[in-house]
Amino acid sequence: MPLFQNLRKIKEELIFEGIQQGLQQGIQQGLQQGIQQGFEQGKIETAEKMIMKGYSD
């Protein structure tokens, strides 16, 4: 296989690996943000329910 074709193949493999790693990091970061937002939303909903039941803040 000529050098040019080898270099092209290596470049494509590196780009693919970079995209895969970026996707994995993006998914993990998105999950972490979603969990954090869920906790925050849960706290807000709990506080609203307590206020509606007459608890003091």
Side-chain angles (χ1 to χ4, degrees):
M1 193 179 274
L3 179 62
F4 181 74
Q5 288 177 334
N6 281 335
L7 291 175
R8 179 181 283 175
K9 184 176 180 182
I10 291 169
K11 176 184 170 188
E12 290 172 359
E13 288 173 0
L14 289 173
I15 290 171
F16 180 76
E17 287 178 24
I19 291 170
Q20 290 293 85
Q21 288 177 358
L23 285 173
Q24 289 174 353
Q25 289 174 354
I27 289 169
Q28 185 177 13
Q29 189 176 34
L31 286 172
Q32 289 173 350
Q33 288 177 350
I35 290 169
Q36 182 64 34
Q37 289 175 354
F39 282 131
E40 291 173 10
Q41 184 64 33
K43 289 178 184 179
I44 291 169
E45 289 174 4
T46 300
E48 289 173 345
K49 288 176 185 177
M50 291 176 72
I51 290 170
M52 302 234 357
K53 288 183 178 182
Y55 290 93
S56 63
D57 38 325

